[in-house]
Amino acid sequence: MASVTAHKHPARSAASILDIRPMTGALGAEVRGVDFSAPLSDQEVDAVEAALSEHLVLYFPDQELEPDHLKVMAGYFGELEKERFIPPLEGHPGVHVLKGISKSKLTTQNLIWHVDHSYKPEPSFGGVLYAVDVPTSGGDTMFSSMYRAYDALSEPMKHYLEGLVAVHDVVAYGLRSGLFETEDTRQAILRMPLPAEHPLVCTHPDTGRKMLYVNEAWTTKIKDLSPLESKSILAFLFEHATQQEFQCRVRWQNKGLLLWDNKAVQHRGVPDYEGPRLMHRVAIQGTWKPS
């Protein structure tokens, strides 16, 4: 394949390019009118950024893409981020391989609700997934809006949570999932990132909207509370944050491309399918420290 670069060229205005079809009232949109196999213009990039800011989750159907296209596409929004727990695609640094969702246990391929890399001081800006070979039904990816989750809290609960900080720890998830059952993987604990601390209520750096910042995978405790208090409040927040009315559900087809704002959503895959579910994944490096 010819070399692919992120060079931009003049094109039509953004308003004439994107066909945006909202998925639900909470978040998500199917987007047509942009081809990521070709370089994008400044207007096209701006239009996609605006759509992402409004809808948080964007699904682009019928995209004929090679791994290099995915790296260029992600590069419009930031630097590529190395995935610690997902295998790389050979010959394509920055592109990683997802090969299904476990039906029987927690895994690094994400069976429960999570925010990508919230256990780091600067979590991912966003994620990109491309469907290479997916089931004809099942294996959907679900998203939940943390704007909606915050807005739906009572005023006394909002006031209470504003002053609290939570710990996000990848090692705790690894212990629960059995990831560290062998000696080699136990040694890997020593190389894991130290836990990160983030406020339970954050302000999105681009929109200025307040959002709940917590997720079942990585959030392990609330600072300065007793263990029982922390466990009880987190259990409530995990359930509250993923209510049906805050969600959208992406139903995959081969050659579908997905981009999401990792700052303002949680997501999870649904293990309700048979057969292969092969995807290529790119993470976009974040520069925002939740605050």
Side-chain angles (χ1 to χ4, degrees):
M1 187 185 76
S3 176
V4 180
T5 69
H7 175 71
K8 300 177 185 178
H9 58 82
R12 299 169 292 164
S13 68
S16 67
I17 295 171
L18 298 187
D19 175 10
I20 299 174
R21 308 174 187 184
M23 293 180 183
T24 70
L27 77 166
E30 182 178 298
V31 181
R32 298 175 183 269
V34 61
D35 178 6
F36 287 104
S37 69
L40 300 191
S41 68
D42 291 337
Q43 294 96 329
E44 288 172 311
V45 174
D46 290 345
V48 172
E49 287 180 337
L52 183 64
S53 181
E54 180 176 357
H55 298 284
L56 304 180
V57 176
L58 303 180
Y59 180 72
F60 304 87
D62 303 320
Q63 297 281 326
E64 293 276 358
L65 303 179
E66 299 292 336
D68 284 347
H69 293 128
L70 299 181
K71 290 186 280 187
V72 171
M73 182 266 192
Y76 290 121
F77 307 100
E79 299 294 325
L80 302 189
E81 183 176 13
K82 183 178 180 180
E83 289 276 13
R84 184 183 293 265
F85 302 113
I86 302 176
L89 179 63
E90 185 176 356
H92 294 279
V95 181
H96 297 259
V97 179
L98 290 176
K99 290 186 176 180
I101 309 168
S102 172
K103 299 181 180 181
S104 60
K105 64 179 182 178
L106 299 178
T107 73
T108 58
Q109 308 252 334
N110 305 327
L111 183 57
I112 62 176
W113 288 100
H114 63 285
V115 173
D116 286 339
H117 304 170
S118 73
Y119 51 80
K120 297 172 62 176
E122 297 177 345
S124 298
F125 166 88
V128 175
L129 275 177
Y130 182 65
V132 178
D133 185 12
V134 296
T136 55
S137 63
D140 300 344
T141 302
M142 300 173 66
F143 291 85
S144 190
S145 167
M146 295 303 95
Y147 291 152
R148 295 295 182 106
Y150 174 79
D151 291 344
L153 292 168
S154 68
E155 290 303 318
M157 182 58 74
K158 290 178 182 177
H159 180 72
Y160 175 67
L161 295 179
E162 288 269 0
L164 297 179
V165 172
V167 175
H168 296 242
D169 186 0
V170 66
V171 172
Y173 184 86
L175 293 172
R176 282 187 289 155
S177 68
L179 180 63
F180 300 132
E181 288 178 349
T182 68
E183 181 58 32
D184 286 346
T185 54
R186 282 194 291 271
Q187 289 297 317
I189 293 177
L190 302 177
R191 301 190 293 273
M192 295 296 105
L194 294 174
E197 297 181 357
H198 303 308
L200 281 173
V201 176
C202 293
T203 300
H204 195 287
D206 300 322
T207 66
R209 291 184 63 179
K210 287 188 176 181
M211 56 195 178
L212 191 60
Y213 201 77
V214 64
N215 67 91
E216 185 181 2
W218 316 126
T219 310
T220 57
K221 66 180 180 180
I222 301 173
K223 290 184 65 179
D224 302 323
L225 300 189
S226 72
L228 181 58
E229 290 169 337
S230 174
K231 181 179 179 180
S232 299
I233 293 173
L234 285 179
F236 158 70
L237 292 177
F238 295 157
E239 182 176 357
H240 169 80
T242 55
Q243 293 183 69
Q244 181 175 315
E245 54 264 44
F246 309 153
Q247 294 181 17
C248 76
R249 188 171 184 132
V250 175
R251 291 180 168 85
W252 288 99
Q253 292 184 338
N254 285 346
K255 302 179 183 179
L257 178 70
L258 188 65
L259 170 68
W260 66 92
D261 180 347
N262 188 60
K263 299 181 289 298
V265 300
Q266 297 186 39
H267 66 283
R268 61 162 295 180
V270 182
D272 62 344
Y273 63 94
E274 301 295 334
R277 185 180 185 270
L278 175 62
M279 297 187 175
H280 290 164
R281 163 113 166 94
V282 178
I284 303 170
Q285 179 69 50
T287 59
W288 172 66
K289 294 182 179 180
S291 60

